């Protein structure tokens, strides 16, 4: 027997035993630790014998196995045994047969990966059902909207430039929307699953991935009714820090060629803010408690359309200002735009830098100004919606952050 065939037999046997052990421990009917290895070997033999006997052998074996499964369930019912309402084990039997056939067809790598996924799905049944229970109808509708945004709308949009200088590319603009909504939704679901286990630090991290402005509004409002501890300012500070990291991820995804020039200064600003957050947490860790968040899922279709319009408008506005008034006017545009949304101005500038129409140094300086302006805006939110003590503490944290940002802006060496 050829060594390759021996390895295939061993793999088919091993994967069958792995699945069979899991089913045996789960006390499932029909197939267990002996039956599943036989099924994977059956599939392997069917695939190996395709050459001498014909291509019909694998599908014929699958049909025969399906018939045996139906017969086994019918006999179990006739004998008064409870067969249960599910089909998990039956489907697993069919998958195991095809795993053996894949190994016999020289697809051992794929078979091994699929077998691992099957075992994980079977073993973590309770955890998966717990996830379903915690993800409610609103969250599922948000996932469905993400599918609509990313898999239905995006492919049909034209991938070419429109408008002045071909600046508006519908496909590129909507791709940015998918990226932003996807990051926000994943972070939202992660925090929803963690629930009360998400302390102030983790709430700030996930909040920064969702929307640091929304986190600021929520924390400021709660500060009026939940006391004057350090939870709210720390969550806002951490969320604002992670928002900078999120900006770098967006740039790396859409304009990776700019990272060598953009990442060091912006990364230094993020590191400075992270240091302030860490020191504040260490100094006031006894006065920090878990934070509950209740905002809606961030995948509203109208919100996505609004961001697409904002991003397209900023993209055109930045190009127009640069052409009409010169590069330095972009700094003013970045400051004004960054007050309410850093993502749009950041991605607009990143696209211009990637095209070569904007100097990288001026680009990162404009992004830094936008990020600083956003801190000022969130400080204003805290002043209006929160308590005086929240505003005072946040002013200290944001003030130190802005001092570091100013030092980076003026002292960072020119390229």
């Amino acid at each position: 027997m050829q060594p390759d065939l021996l390895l295939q037999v061993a793999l088919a046997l091993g994967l069958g035993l792995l699945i069979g052990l899991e089913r045996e421990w789960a006390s499932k009917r029909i197939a267990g630790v002996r039956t599943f290895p036989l099924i994977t070997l059956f599939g392997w033999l069917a695939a190996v014998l395709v050459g001498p006997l014909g291509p019909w052998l694998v599908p014929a074996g699958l049909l025969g196995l399906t018939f045996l499964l139906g017969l086994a369930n019918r006999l179990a019912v006739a004998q008064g045994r409870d067969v249960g309402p599910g089909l998990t084990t039956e489907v697993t039997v069919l998958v195991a047969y095809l795993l053996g056939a894949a190994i016999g067809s020289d697809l051992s790598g794929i078979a091994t990966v699929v077998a691992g996924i099957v075992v994980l799905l079977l073993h973590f049944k309770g955890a998966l059902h717990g996830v379903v229970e915690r993800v409610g109808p609103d969250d599922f509708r948000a996932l469905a909207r993400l599918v609509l945004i990313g898999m239905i709308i995006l492919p049909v949009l034209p991938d070419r430039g429109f408008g002045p200088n071909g600046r508006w590319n519908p496909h590129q603009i909507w791709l940015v929307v998918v990226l932003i909504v996807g990051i926000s939704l994943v972070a939202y679901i992660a925090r929803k699953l963690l629930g009360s286990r998400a302390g102030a630090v983790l709430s700030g991290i996930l909040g920064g991935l969702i929307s640091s402005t929304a986190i600021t509004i929520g924390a400021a409002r709660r500060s009026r009714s939940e006391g004057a501890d350090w939870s709210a300012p720390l969550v806002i500070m951490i969320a604002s820090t992670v928002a900078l990291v999120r900006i770098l991820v967006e740039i790396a995804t859409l304009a990776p060629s700019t990272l060598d020039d953009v990442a060091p200064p912006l990364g230094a600003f993020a590191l400075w803010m992270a240091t302030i957050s860490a020191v504040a947490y260490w100094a006031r860790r006894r006065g920090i408690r878990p934070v509950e968040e209740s905002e809606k899922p961030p995948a509203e279709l109208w919100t996505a359309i609004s961001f697409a319009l904002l991003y397209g408008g900023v993209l055109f506005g930045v190009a127009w200002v640069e052409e009409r008034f010169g590069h330095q006017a972009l700094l003013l545009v970045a400051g004004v735009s960054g007050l309410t949304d850093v993502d749009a101005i950041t991605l607009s500038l990143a696209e211009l830098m990637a095209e070569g129409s904007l100097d990288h140094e001026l680009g990162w300086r404009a992004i830094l100004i936008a990020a600083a302006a956003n801190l000022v805006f969130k400080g204003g939110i805290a002043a209006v919606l929160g308590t005086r003590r929240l505003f005072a503490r946040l002013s200290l944290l944001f003030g130190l952050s802005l001092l570091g940002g100013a030092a980076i802006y003026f002292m960072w060496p020119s390229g």
Side-chain angles (χ1 to χ4, degrees):
M1 190 173 184
Q2 299 178 8
D4 289 346
L5 293 180
L6 284 174
L7 290 175
Q8 289 182 2
V9 170
L11 182 59
L13 180 63
L15 296 183
L17 282 170
L18 183 63
I19 297 174
L21 281 171
E22 196 287 329
R23 290 289 83 190
E24 194 78 33
W25 287 331
S27 300
K28 296 299 179 181
R29 66 195 185 282
I30 297 179
V33 71
R34 292 182 301 166
T35 308
F36 271 102
L38 292 173
I39 292 169
T40 52
L41 289 173
F42 175 36
W44 176 80
L45 277 173
V48 169
L49 295 176
V50 161
L53 297 181
W56 53 268
L57 189 58
V58 172
L62 186 62
L63 288 174
L65 188 59
T66 304
F67 173 77
L68 287 176
L69 287 173
L71 181 61
N73 273 333
R74 188 176 183 85
L75 290 174
V77 172
Q79 294 172 3
R81 287 183 287 162
D82 180 20
V83 299
L87 293 173
T88 302
T89 301
E90 289 83 346
V91 174
T92 305
V93 166
L94 300 179
V95 173
Y97 170 82
L98 292 175
L99 288 174
I103 294 171
S105 302
D106 294 325
L107 297 173
S108 299
I110 295 176
T112 303
V113 171
V114 172
I117 295 172
V118 168
V119 171
L120 289 176
L121 289 174
L122 294 174
H123 183 68
F124 290 105
K125 173 185 176 181
L128 291 172
H129 281 290
V131 169
V132 172
E133 291 175 0
R134 300 201 60 178
V135 176
D138 289 342
D139 306 317
F140 183 79
R141 281 191 286 270
L143 287 172
R145 286 192 290 267
L146 181 60
V147 171
L148 171 66
I149 292 170
M151 298 184 182
I152 298 177
I153 297 179
L154 180 63
V156 302
L157 292 176
D159 190 7
R160 60 189 182 89
F162 292 89
N165 300 321
R167 183 59 60 189
W168 288 329
N169 184 316
H171 187 275
Q172 184 69 21
I173 291 174
W174 200 253
L175 180 62
V176 172
V177 173
V178 175
L179 174 66
I180 299 298
V181 173
I183 292 174
S184 301
L185 187 58
V186 169
Y188 169 83
I189 292 175
R191 190 169 61 189
K192 185 76 177 286
L193 295 178
L194 289 170
S196 59
R197 290 174 292 172
V201 174
L202 190 54
S203 292
I205 292 172
L206 296 176
L209 294 175
I210 299 169
S211 172
S212 60
T213 302
I215 291 298
T216 302
I217 294 172
R221 286 173 174 168
R222 286 191 303 275
S223 70
R224 291 187 175 275
S225 59
E226 296 185 1
D229 60 24
W230 274 82
S231 302
L234 184 65
V235 166
I236 295 172
M237 181 64 187
I238 294 175
S240 300
T241 303
V242 174
L244 286 173
V245 179
R246 166 176 161 156
I247 286 173
L248 289 172
V249 172
E250 294 167 0
I251 295 173
T253 303
L254 298 177
S257 62
T258 68
L259 276 180
D260 289 343
D261 297 321
V262 172
L266 294 182
F269 189 33
L271 182 60
W272 170 246
M273 291 184 63
T275 301
I276 296 172
S277 301
V279 171
Y281 178 80
W282 181 82
R284 300 292 181 178
R285 59 189 181 279
R286 293 183 179 179
I288 296 171
R289 53 179 171 72
V291 177
E292 294 291 338
E293 302 292 343
S294 59
E295 72 269 1
K296 295 181 180 179
E300 294 291 341
L301 184 59
W302 174 244
T303 302
I305 294 173
S306 300
F307 181 82
L309 294 174
L310 174 63
Y311 173 55
V314 171
L315 184 65
F316 175 73
V318 166
W320 182 81
V321 168
E322 180 191 16
E323 182 180 349
R324 185 75 177 268
F325 301 102
H327 291 319
Q328 296 305 317
L330 288 180
L331 300 179
L332 177 60
V333 174
V336 174
S337 178
L339 286 173
T340 55
D341 195 299
V342 183
D343 290 315
I345 184 64
T346 295
L347 295 169
S348 301
L349 294 170
E351 185 170 337
L352 292 176
M353 287 188 287
E355 293 174 355
S357 57
L358 177 62
D359 179 69
H360 290 188
E361 181 179 349
L362 181 61
W364 73 254
R365 291 182 186 277
I367 294 173
L368 183 63
I369 287 178
N374 194 248
L375 292 182
V376 174
F377 178 70
K378 284 181 285 194
I381 291 175
V384 174
L385 300 179
T387 62
R388 290 183 179 179
R389 185 166 294 184
L390 170 66
F391 176 66
R393 291 170 173 174
L394 199 59
S395 295
L396 173 63
L397 299 176
F398 279 179
L400 292 173
S401 301
L402 292 172
L403 286 175
I408 292 172
Y409 183 92
F410 291 107
M411 300 177 64
W412 196 268
S414 301

